[in-house]
Amino acid sequence: MTSSHPGQPADPHGPRPEGEGTRGRAERRRERIRRDIQAARTGRKLIPTWLMALVLGLFLAGWLYLIITK
């Protein structure tokens, strides 16, 4: 088994043209991002955003009320 770097296994497919490995990695990353975005778009939302905002607003209003009345 011959390799260009000690301790590294030889590439069974032979040498790759320069930049091919990077291009493949970038394409896999883009595909993963596309898949994640699509999953986020079709994902089921358990709590509507407006309800989360309302709860946060009530929490902050209660906190301010405690600070002002003490």
Side-chain angles (χ1 to χ4, degrees):
M1 179 152 63
T2 308
S3 68
S4 59
H5 302 289
Q8 297 291 329
D11 190 0
H13 304 293
R16 285 186 259 174
E18 192 170 322
E20 184 178 309
T22 309
R23 193 172 35 220
R25 187 180 319 142
E27 186 57 38
R28 286 192 304 269
R29 181 176 168 82
R30 282 188 202 103
E31 184 57 39
R32 187 177 72 236
I33 291 170
R34 283 186 199 109
R35 189 174 55 242
D36 290 347
I37 290 172
Q38 187 62 30
R41 286 180 179 166
T42 60
R44 194 178 70 163
K45 307 277 189 288
L46 298 177
I47 300 173
T49 305
W50 65 266
L51 183 58
M52 289 192 298
L54 178 67
V55 170
L56 178 62
L58 289 173
F59 177 78
L60 291 175
W63 183 65
L64 284 174
Y65 174 77
L66 286 175
I67 290 174
I68 293 171
T69 59
K70 288 276 178 175

